[in-house]
């Protein structure tokens, strides 16, 4: 029987899914088996939990994503609903803290909000779906502009990018008008106030079906397609090690979490896309330890506020009929708190920030009925500036072979600090947030810097680089230096100081990595056939 080249993908989030899709669509010969530690939450694998209309079902799906199966840990890992800022781009239901404080916890006192999701679809089952493009120095300078443009466009296609979501919302339009009056003159052409690109499919009633890993997987999960015949997704399958001979991956050792059975799965190539902390942890546990592994951790910091929209300003911009139509539209989809999304993108040199403005009917936290802004008829905006963190080798995660975590992996310790390099931009972002809030209405929550780790966008811990000089883990095709058939994926590869949601960038990087891997496997296959 002829050998069918097999790729093992670790992790079923948007990045593992992008690998599976691009590999299977690029080659009719390859088979992909995807291993996911968490459970499948929805009938369609990887669907966004935000699309679940029933509140109890939605809460249950979130709870099932919050960590390991063991009842012993479940309680301590889940983040209580009362402390979240739901509906903001820092929403966190469905995730579990890495440093949960119980036995087997990570240690992250300087990065306390670090969190992960463990379920089919990964964090992509819970995400807010904002997919702005990276710009200026956020881009990777070792991939040329024409290729980058094509990669980003392909990634936008995989994620069903919408550049004008909620564009017909009169309140969304009014918010843009107010922000344009306040900031427009200071912003460069093409980088002014606009709608925020999001991933999903607009519905005739004006609501969105939000994209998840299911969207990225596309034909792989449609019964009867040629790609589906060569794709397999195994949930509750924890990859314990990437097996290798020092320069080639040979497969993965997997624990079936239902039966506790541990087995070796041979593969011609391995893709590790298990998030920015657990991917480096898995490599470390497998004895693959490049010096940059886990180092150069960044996120974008977030200064946020909530503002009640001002009656006078909104009434001047929105007619009664338009407002009535807006209320009717919102009522149709009460389960989804976000009703319009706007932004001011990153631009250099004068606006090294990303502002995101989410309009919602209710504030993201309970407001005392006696509060003057309670029940505001125009609703609220939750908005925040993303501020960059300049990469430093000192920031990162280390793994201790002498202390095992709750899953039996070397325990993580995260060390991280904001420095003088970030402070001026944090101050400037706070000042701008005050201006934006004052222009739009009255503050319901004062502008504040969220604790480290709150962005959920962790980058740099397996960064890409153009040369193997010890400051990167992967080459420009995402292959771990020294291993042709071991590829890494996810936000961890982003080496730049980034101010915004990184998933689109990571999918673009994955498209390049997947194409490179298909070529690599074809070359190896041709050489074997010639022998
Ligand atoms: P993940 O989605 O984290 O998936 C990794 C998967 O690997 C997980 O399912 C995990 O269980 C699995 N895994 C880990 N270890 C193993 C193992 N050893 N064996 C098997 N499986 C393993 N990003 C944006 O760009 N825009 C947004 O608006 C946005 N909003 C967000 C809002 C929330 C509430 C959250 C939680 C995240 C948000 N993000 C957003 C982040 C976005 O979801 C991530 O960037 C994206 O999901 C990363 O994809 P990934 O595939 O690399 O990793």
């Amino acid at each position: 029987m002829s050998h069918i080249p097999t790729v093992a993908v670790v992790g079923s989030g948007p990045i593992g899914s992008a690998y599976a899709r691009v590999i299977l669509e690029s080659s009719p010969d390859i088979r992909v088996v995807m291993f996911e530690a968490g459970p499948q939450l929805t009938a369609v694998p990887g669907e966004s939990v935000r699309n679940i209309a029933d509140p109890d079902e939605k809460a249950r799906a979130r709870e099932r994503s919050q960590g390991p199966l063991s009842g012993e840990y479940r309680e301590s890992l889940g983040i209580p609903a009362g402390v979240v800022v739901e509906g903001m781009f820092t929403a966190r239901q469905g995730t579990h803290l890495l440093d949960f404080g119980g036995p087997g916890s990570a240690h992250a006192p300087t990065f306390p909000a670090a969190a992960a999701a463990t379920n089919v679809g990964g964090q992509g089952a819970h995400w807010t779906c904002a997919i702005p493009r990276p710009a200026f120095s956020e881009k990777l300078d070792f991939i040329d502009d024409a290729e980058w443009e094509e990669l980003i466009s392909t990634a936008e296609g995989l994620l069903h990018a919408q550049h004008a979501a909620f564009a017909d919302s009169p309140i969304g339009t009014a918010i843009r008008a107010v922000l344009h009056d306040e900031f427009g003159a200071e912003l460069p052409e093409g980088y002014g106030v606009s709608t925020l690109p999001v991933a999903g499919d607009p519905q005739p009633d004006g609501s969105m079906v939000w994209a998840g890993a299911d969207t990225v997987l596309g034909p792989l999960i449609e019964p009867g397609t040629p790609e589906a015949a060569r794709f397999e997704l195994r949930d509750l399958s924890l990859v314990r090690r990437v097996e290798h001979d020092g320069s080639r991956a040979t497969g993965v050792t997997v624990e079936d979490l239902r039966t506790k059975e541990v087995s070796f799965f041979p593969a011609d190539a391995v893709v590790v896309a298990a998030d920015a902390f657990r991917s480096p942890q898995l490599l470390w546990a497998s004895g693959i330890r490049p010096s940059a592994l886990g180092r150069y951790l960044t996120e974008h910091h977030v200064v946020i506020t909530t503002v009640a929209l001002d009656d006078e300003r909104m009434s001047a911009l929105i007619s009664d009929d338009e407002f009535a139509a807006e209320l009717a539209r919102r009522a149709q989809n009460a389960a989804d708190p976000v009703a319009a999304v706007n932004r001011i993108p990153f631009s250099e040199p004068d606006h090294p920030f990303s502002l995101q403005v989410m309009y919602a009917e209710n504030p993201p936290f309970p407001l005392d009925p006696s509060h003057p802004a309670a029940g505001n008829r125009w609703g609220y905006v939750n908005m925040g500036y993303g501020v960059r963190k300049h990469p430093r080798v000192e920031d990162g995660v280390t793994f201790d072979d002498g202390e095992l975590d709750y899953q039996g992996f070397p325990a993580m310790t995260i060390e991280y600090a904001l420095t003088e390099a970030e402070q001026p931009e944090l101050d400037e972002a706070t000042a701008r947030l005050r201006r934006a809030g004052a222009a739009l209405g009255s503050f319901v929550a004062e502008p504040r810097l969220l604790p480290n780790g709150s962005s959920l966008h962790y980058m740099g811990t397996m960064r890409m680089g153009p040369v193997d000089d010890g400051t990167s883990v992967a080459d420009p095709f995402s292959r771990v230096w020294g291993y042709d058939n071991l590829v890494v994926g996810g936000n961890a590869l982003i080496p730049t100081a980034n101010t915004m949601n990184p998933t689109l960038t990571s999918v673009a990087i994955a498209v390049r990595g997947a194409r490179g891997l298909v070529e690599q496997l074809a070359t190896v296959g041709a050489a074997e056939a010639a022998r």
Side-chain angles (χ1 to χ4, degrees):
M1 219 175 81
S2 68
H3 172 72
I4 301 173
T6 301
V7 178
V9 174
V10 187
S12 67
I15 306 307
S17 300
Y19 267 98
R21 168 95 178 255
V22 175
I23 290 170
L24 290 175
E25 286 192 332
S26 307
S27 164
D29 303 319
I30 300 177
R31 175 172 83 114
V32 171
V33 178
M34 178 181 275
F35 298 95
E36 168 54 54
Q40 185 169 324
L41 306 173
T42 46
V44 174
E47 205 181 341
S48 170
V49 164
R50 293 170 70 193
N51 297 332
I52 302 174
D54 180 66
D56 292 339
E57 211 183 303
K58 189 184 295 217
R60 171 88 184 115
R62 285 174 165 162
E63 199 242 347
R64 292 181 70 213
S65 312
Q66 294 183 172
L69 296 168
S70 155
E72 188 188 343
Y73 297 110
R74 182 179 280 290
E75 206 53 17
S76 53
L77 281 168
I79 298 173
V83 303
V84 305
V85 189
E86 191 58 52
M88 190 52 202
F89 57 73
T90 51
R92 45 194 48 247
Q93 283 183 43
T95 65
H96 49 97
L97 285 175
L98 299 182
D99 188 350
F100 53 87
S105 167
H107 311 290
T110 54
F111 207 69
T118 303
N119 53 274
V120 170
Q123 291 190 46
H126 308 282
W127 69 323
T128 313
C129 296
I131 48 167
R133 289 179 167 214
F136 299 87
S137 62
E138 291 180 322
K139 296 198 307 195
L140 282 59
D141 59 8
F142 48 86
I143 298 178
D144 78 51
D145 281 351
E147 186 187 356
W148 184 248
E149 185 62 30
E150 191 275 329
L151 292 170
I152 283 281
S153 299
T154 304
E156 287 178 333
L158 289 171
L159 289 164
H160 292 197
Q162 303 301 325
H163 292 272
F166 308 111
D168 54 359
S169 155
I171 296 193
T173 305
I175 291 168
R176 284 194 297 284
V178 171
L179 291 174
H180 179 76
D181 281 353
E182 180 66 29
F183 296 109
E186 300 164 25
L187 299 168
E189 183 73 30
Y191 293 87
V193 182
S194 59
T195 54
L196 175 67
V198 292
D201 294 300
Q203 302 302 295
D205 67 4
S207 68
M208 289 287 292
V209 169
W210 298 104
D214 60 331
T215 313
V216 180
L217 291 169
L220 280 58
I221 51 170
E222 274 169 32
T225 65
E227 291 83 10
R230 292 179 287 123
F231 177 63
E232 191 188 334
L233 166 57
R234 298 187 189 172
D235 75 343
L236 294 168
S237 296
L238 177 70
V239 173
R240 292 220 153 267
R241 270 180 69 87
V242 175
E243 303 298 348
H244 60 97
D245 63 10
S247 62
R248 286 191 67 75
T250 52
V252 288
T253 292
V254 187
E255 179 178 348
D256 180 328
L257 295 176
R258 290 185 174 90
T259 61
K260 302 289 170 210
E261 200 179 303
V262 176
S263 58
F264 171 64
F265 180 87
D268 298 276
V270 175
V271 176
V272 177
D275 85 33
F277 291 110
R278 288 180 290 181
S279 294
Q281 185 186 40
L282 180 60
L283 294 188
W284 180 272
S286 308
I288 300 165
R289 301 177 174 186
S291 57
L293 189 72
R295 313 313 314 160
Y296 301 101
L297 170 65
T298 65
E299 65 168 333
H300 59 75
H301 290 272
V302 193
V303 186
I304 67 160
T305 189
T306 301
V307 166
L309 291 170
D310 181 72
D311 184 37
E312 207 175 300
R313 262 159 270 172
M314 291 295 120
S315 322
L317 293 164
I318 301 165
S319 71
D320 287 349
D321 286 352
E322 285 171 328
F323 186 47
E326 176 89 67
L327 291 182
R329 182 178 70 91
R330 284 192 327 209
Q332 269 176 335
N333 194 16
D336 193 337
V338 178
V341 287
N342 291 307
R343 56 113 178 227
I344 302 176
F346 178 88
S347 61
E348 281 179 315
D350 295 330
H351 193 267
F353 315 103
S354 293
L355 172 65
Q356 296 189 356
V357 184
M358 310 298 197
Y359 158 59
E361 188 169 1
N362 296 304
F365 43 79
L367 199 55
D368 192 316
S370 64
H371 190 286
N376 187 38
R377 71 187 280 256
W378 294 100
Y380 305 82
V381 288
N382 303 308
M383 57 180 177
Y385 273 94
V387 182
R388 61 189 161 182
K389 168 77 167 101
H390 298 276
R392 298 185 313 155
V393 68
E394 295 89 333
D395 299 309
V397 56
T398 51
F399 308 100
D400 183 350
D401 292 318
E403 181 194 345
L404 299 185
D405 71 7
Y406 64 92
Q407 284 184 311
F409 286 100
M412 299 184 204
T413 296
I414 303 172
E415 278 168 345
Y416 186 91
L418 284 167
T419 72
E420 285 171 7
E422 287 79 39
Q423 202 51 55
E425 287 180 359
L426 286 168
D427 293 343
E428 175 67 17
T430 309
R432 284 172 190 249
L433 196 59
R434 286 196 180 283
R435 277 174 65 192
L440 286 164
S442 54
F443 290 96
V444 179
E446 280 300 301
R448 64 202 186 281
L449 175 63
L450 290 178
N452 293 346
S454 296
S455 71
L456 298 165
H457 302 152
Y458 314 127
M459 297 169 276
T461 51
M462 299 189 299
R463 68 209 303 248
M464 296 171 94
V467 288
D468 184 10
D469 60 0
T471 66
S472 58
V473 167
D475 74 8
F477 285 91
S478 302
R479 294 173 295 214
V480 174
W481 290 112
Y483 292 79
D484 281 351
N485 68 342
L486 175 57
V487 167
V488 283
N491 305 331
L493 276 89
I494 297 174
T496 54
N498 200 37
T499 63
M500 43 98 222
N501 323 69
T503 308
L504 178 70
T505 304
S506 298
V507 172
I509 292 170
V511 170
R512 191 171 207 256
R515 289 173 180 167
L517 189 57
V518 169
E519 256 181 55
Q520 169 86 11
L521 288 169
T523 313
V524 172
E528 274 169 9
R531 258 192 254 133

